[in-house]
């Protein structure tokens, strides 16, 4: 029989990470079984070229380590990361998430989608759900996002979700030996509350 005192001393943290549902997508926590898919998808120069946090080639085992870290990040209130999966088939086609700055009640939105599924509205659908989650469930006051200016598709996603352009940081990002300008977008709670109904009509 297990010693109850030992059990109390060493509680297993509850994995209470959220899932969100949209018309076509289930946004759910990544599981260890997704590591192979993530490793394959992210090891794609098409995704890495416009993503500041990713490197090519993606180091072996990096996806598994990233996934294993996510429950802790959620429990500490630092980040919420979702796998974007198709409701119809369960296939994982990307990720979307928020890096949270709790003291400022603000978060940074990030996402990528498997190039085989680009331009079908999936990033916008996922981003809209996560932004709504951020304002409603996390009580955020502001969500921001950045994209390198040679990535207009990302700017279009942000515009569709209601973000406003806030300026361009000149030569802010260094990628593969070159400096790139970075466009900054923001959405504050008061704008989201008034525009939310209009944005929802787009989808
Ligand atoms: C940016 C990204 C997430 C968009 O994903 P997606 O699922 O294709 O996005 P959506 O289909 O929701 O919207 C894309 C929009 O950009 C538009 N678009 C695509 N290429 C474009 C281009 N070269 N110029 C202008 N608009 C473009 C599409 O037409 C669409 O707009 P529309 O719905 O008004 O027609 C995807 O391209 C990606 O993963 N890129 C690599 C990783 C990355 O850059 N992540 C973001 C880092 S900031």
């Amino acid at each position: 029989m297990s010693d109850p005192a030992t059990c109390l001393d060493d509680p297993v943290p509850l994995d209470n990470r959220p899932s969100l549902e949209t018309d076509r997508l289930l946004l759910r926590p990544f599981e260890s079984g997704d590591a192979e898919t993530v490793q394959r998808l992210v090891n794609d120069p098409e995704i890495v070229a416009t993503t500041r946090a990713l490197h090519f080639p993606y180091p072996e085992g990096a996806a598994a380590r990233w996934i294993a870290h996510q429950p802790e990040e959620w429990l500490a209130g630092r980040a919420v990361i979702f796998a974007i999966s198709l409701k119809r088939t369960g296939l994982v086609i990307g990720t979307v998430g928020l890096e949270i700055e709790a003291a400022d009640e603000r978060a940074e939105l990030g996402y990528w989608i498997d190039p085989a599924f680009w331009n079908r509205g999936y990033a916008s659908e996922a981003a809209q759900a996560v932004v709504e989650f951020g304002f409603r469930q996390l009580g955020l006051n502001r969500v921001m996002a950045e994209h390198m200016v040679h990535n207009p598709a990302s700017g279009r996603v942000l515009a569709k979700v209601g973000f406003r352009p806030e300026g361009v940081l000149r030569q802010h990002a260094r990628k593969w030996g070159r400096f790139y300008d970075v466009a900054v977008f923001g959405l504050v709670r008061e704008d989201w509350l008034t525009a939310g109904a209009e944005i929802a009509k787009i989808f």
Side-chain angles (χ1 to χ4, degrees), residues 142-174:
R142 167 176 163 82
V143 181
M144 55 86 60
E146 298 178 348
H147 72 82
M148 290 192 264
V149 292
H150 65 293
N151 187 14
S154 187
R156 180 74 191 126
V157 168
L158 296 171
K160 284 197 287 180
V161 177
F163 283 76
R164 294 187 185 180
E166 295 184 337
V168 172
L169 306 174
R170 294 171 61 226
Q171 302 189 20
H172 187 69
R174 187 165 183 267

Side-chain angles (χ1 to χ4, degrees), residues 18 75 105:
L75 287 171
E105 297 181 21

Side-chain angles (χ1 to χ4, degrees), residues 170-187:
R170 294 171 61 226
Q171 302 189 20
H172 187 69
R174 187 165 183 267
K175 188 94 198 185
W176 295 338
R178 276 192 59 187
F179 294 107
Y180 290 96
D181 293 353
V182 170
V184 181
F185 283 74
L187 182 57

Side-chain angles (χ1 to χ4, degrees), residues 46-47 50-51 111-113 117-125 146-148 151-154 156-157 160:
E46 276 206 278
I47 290 184
T50 50
T51 312
Y111 41 72
W112 54 258
I113 297 279
F117 292 89
W118 283 2
N119 296 322
R120 299 189 204 179
Y122 288 132
S124 308
E125 191 169 320
E146 298 178 348
H147 72 82
M148 290 192 264
N151 187 14
S154 187
R156 180 74 191 126
V157 168
K160 284 197 287 180

Side-chain angles (χ1 to χ4, degrees), residues 28-107:
R28 60 156 177 83
F30 276 107
E31 299 155 2
S32 54
D34 298 316
E36 203 179 312
T37 306
V38 172
Q39 188 76 32
R40 177 176 50 80
L41 292 179
V42 169
N43 209 18
D44 180 337
E46 276 206 278
I47 290 184
V48 177
T50 50
T51 312
R52 288 176 60 198
L54 297 175
H55 301 282
F56 181 83
Y58 195 54
E60 200 54 46
R65 286 193 293 278
W66 179 64
I67 289 171
H69 200 47
Q70 290 174 9
E72 188 187 326
E73 291 293 284
W74 164 253
L75 287 171
R78 286 192 292 264
V80 57
I81 312 286
F82 299 92
I84 302 175
S85 70
L86 298 179
K87 270 201 314 204
R88 207 166 47 80
T89 61
L91 187 69
V92 172
I93 61 160
T95 186
V96 61
L98 295 169
E99 302 280 341
I100 301 161
E101 281 294 337
D104 294 325
E105 297 181 21
R106 135 174 87 75

